[in-house]
């Protein structure tokens, strides 16, 4: 019986080798120890939401605003955005202002639609969002703004919009739109929303 058990244990390891390897890779990628200790996925290595990610988003928005490049950036919080991600093109890249600006550059393949940021990374671009049916929105608000608001009606996501017509920046959260933000107010709003418990 002892020999049979030893052979069975070795056989299981050999047979399930690919599955065991995949499981160990997943544990390594997800930093199992930090997750076990209750580390929040929205936190960076220093134990707080990344100031760098927020800074890169703010910088990109106002650089695009100066040249009136329209943009729509959605930041995932707790509720999944998988159904919207699937409508776009997977990117999986570090959030940098240069990359965001390049994505929304006019006449490039990815510029149309929304960028979704998840876990400090650009998860997908050219994503399609639900359009808000809010009748109280001003007439001058276009489809990009309505899509940003629509995403925040159904999820706890945060959406930042750069107007192609005016270059002004708006922020949508919790089915509310705040328009004509300055760099400091956008930074403050994002910090308050994204770093709260």
């Amino acid at each position: 019986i002892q020999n049979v058990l030893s052979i069975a244990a070795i056989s299981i390891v050999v047979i399930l080798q690919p599955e065991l390897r995949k499981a160990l890779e997943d544990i390594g990628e997800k930093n199992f120890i930090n997750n076990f200790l209750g580390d929040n996925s929205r936190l960076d290595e220093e134990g707080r939401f990344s100031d760098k990610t927020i800074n890169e988003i703010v910088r990109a928005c106002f650089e695009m605003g100066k040249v009136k490049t329209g943009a729509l950036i959605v930041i995932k919080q707790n509720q999944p955005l998988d159904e919207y991600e699937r409508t776009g093109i997977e990117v999986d890249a570090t959030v940098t202002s240069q990359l965001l600006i390049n994505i929304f550059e006019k006449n490039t393949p990815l510029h149309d639609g929304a960028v979704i940021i998840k876990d400090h990374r650009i998860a997908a671009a050219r994503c399609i969002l639900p359009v808000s049916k809010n009748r109280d929105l001003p007439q001058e608000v276009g489809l990009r703004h309505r899509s940003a608001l629509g995403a925040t009606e159904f999820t706890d996501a945060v959406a930042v919009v750069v107007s192609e017509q005016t270059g002004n920046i708006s922020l949508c959260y919790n089915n509310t739109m705040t328009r004509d933000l300055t760099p400091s107010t956008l930074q403050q709003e994002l910090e308050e929303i994204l770093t709260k418990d």
Side-chain angles (χ1 to χ4, degrees), residues 66-136:
K66 287 177 189 174
V67 293
K68 295 186 178 177
T69 297
L72 173 50
I73 300 168
V74 178
I75 305 165
K76 176 193 174 292
Q77 292 207 88
N78 297 314
Q79 294 177 330
L81 300 176
D82 296 348
E83 62 179 299
Y84 307 138
E85 282 183 52
R86 284 194 290 269
T87 66
I89 296 171
E90 184 179 357
V91 177
D92 189 25
T94 304
V95 178
T96 66
S97 58
Q98 295 92 339
L99 181 54
L100 288 170
I101 291 166
N102 283 334
I103 287 172
F104 289 110
E105 188 67 36
K106 293 170 187 172
N107 303 319
T108 59
L110 299 179
H111 85 282
D112 201 17
V115 158
I116 293 179
I117 294 176
K118 178 172 72 174
D119 299 330
H120 302 288
R121 295 183 69 77
I122 299 174
R126 204 178 185 190
C127 300
I128 299 169
L129 303 176
V131 178
S132 173
K133 293 182 170 51
N134 188 333
R135 296 178 182 272
D136 298 327

Side-chain angles (χ1 to χ4, degrees), residues 6 12 40 56-57 73 76 85 88-89 116-117 125 135 144 152 157 169 172 180 186-187 193:
S6 298
I12 288 171
N40 190 322
E56 295 293 328
I57 294 167
I73 300 168
K76 176 193 174 292
E85 282 183 52
I89 296 171
I116 293 179
I117 294 176
R135 296 178 182 272
R144 189 174 280 119
T152 69
I169 314 298
C172 298
D180 302 333
L186 177 60
Q187 179 101 17
I193 295 168

Side-chain angles (χ1 to χ4, degrees), residues 44-59:
D44 66 7
E45 298 82 4
E46 297 174 355
R48 56 187 169 74
F49 190 85
S50 171
D51 288 339
K52 182 180 185 303
T53 302
I54 294 174
N55 291 340
E56 295 293 328
I57 294 167
V58 172
R59 184 180 300 117

Side-chain angles (χ1 to χ4, degrees), residues 137-164:
L137 290 173
Q139 291 290 330
E140 68 270 15
V141 170
L143 186 60
R144 189 174 280 119
H145 289 78
R146 291 180 184 277
S147 296
L149 194 60
T152 69
E153 288 174 353
F154 301 104
T155 72
D156 64 350
V158 183
V160 184
V161 187
V162 182
S163 171
E164 194 170 347

